[in-house]
Amino acid sequence: MSGGGSVTSIQGKGNASGSIVLRTGGATGTVIATYLFGTEGLSEYVPGSGILFVEGVHATIAGTAGVTITFT
């Protein structure tokens, strides 16, 4: 996803060792948030205006069959 904006929610389908790493500025940019989860899955709602990504958001996703990220 390119351009600035905010992540307001993240959901990930449960698996033994899921992870989502969010960066600004592309695949080699600055890590802003890291989420690790297991079979319970992930359901994170960020209050207020969310997590700001000035240079767009890049997500590296591993160990999960599905992810939903709300970016405004």
Side-chain angles (χ1 to χ4, degrees):
M1 298 173 222
S2 63
S6 296
V7 170
T8 55
S9 71
I10 305 163
Q11 289 135 355
K13 185 172 181 173
N15 200 351
S17 59
S19 67
I20 302 170
V21 179
L22 301 177
R23 299 175 186 267
T24 189
T28 59
T30 304
V31 174
I32 301 297
T34 300
Y35 297 92
L36 305 174
F37 54 96
T39 56
E40 74 282 359
L42 174 69
S43 184
E44 184 75 25
Y45 296 96
V46 184
S49 297
I51 303 170
L52 178 62
F53 290 83
V54 175
E55 299 177 42
V57 63
H58 178 276
T60 303
I61 301 163
T64 181
V67 170
T68 301
I69 298 173
T70 306
F71 185 75
T72 58

